[in-house]
Amino acid sequence: MASNAAVPFWRAAGMTYITYSNICANLVRNCLKEPHRSEALSREKVHFVSSKWVGGKPEKPTVRSDTPEH
């Protein structure tokens, strides 16, 4: 029988570590004073390219710029 004593609290709360980490990062960014807050929030943006593959070859790539939800 496994003990729950060694289970991290974020896991016991039903979160993944990534979710917990994102919540903590958002809290820290929101506690910063200007101009550091603006700089940190601008680094939060995510840019990526995705391509669908059809018949073993990639189609035209799509560039996306998303920001994580708060």
Side-chain angles (χ1 to χ4, degrees), residues 11-29:
R11 174 86 57 200
M15 287 189 232
T16 65
Y17 181 75
I18 297 296
T19 302
Y20 164 71
S21 177
N22 284 337
I23 290 169
C24 291
N26 284 332
L27 287 171
V28 169
R29 281 190 288 267

Side-chain angles (χ1 to χ4, degrees), residues 4-60:
N4 286 341
V7 175
F9 67 90
W10 49 266
R11 174 86 57 200
M15 287 189 232
T16 65
Y17 181 75
I18 297 296
T19 302
Y20 164 71
S21 177
N22 284 337
I23 290 169
C24 291
N26 284 332
L27 287 171
V28 169
R29 281 190 288 267
N30 289 330
C31 290
L32 294 172
K33 292 181 181 179
E34 290 298 337
H36 304 292
R37 179 186 293 182
S38 299
E39 292 173 17
L41 289 173
S42 70
R43 287 191 303 262
E44 184 181 23
K45 295 178 184 172
V46 178
H47 305 282
F48 61 94
V49 176
S50 66
S51 296
K52 290 186 180 182
W53 287 69
V54 177
K57 296 184 180 183
E59 292 183 342
K60 183 180 178 187

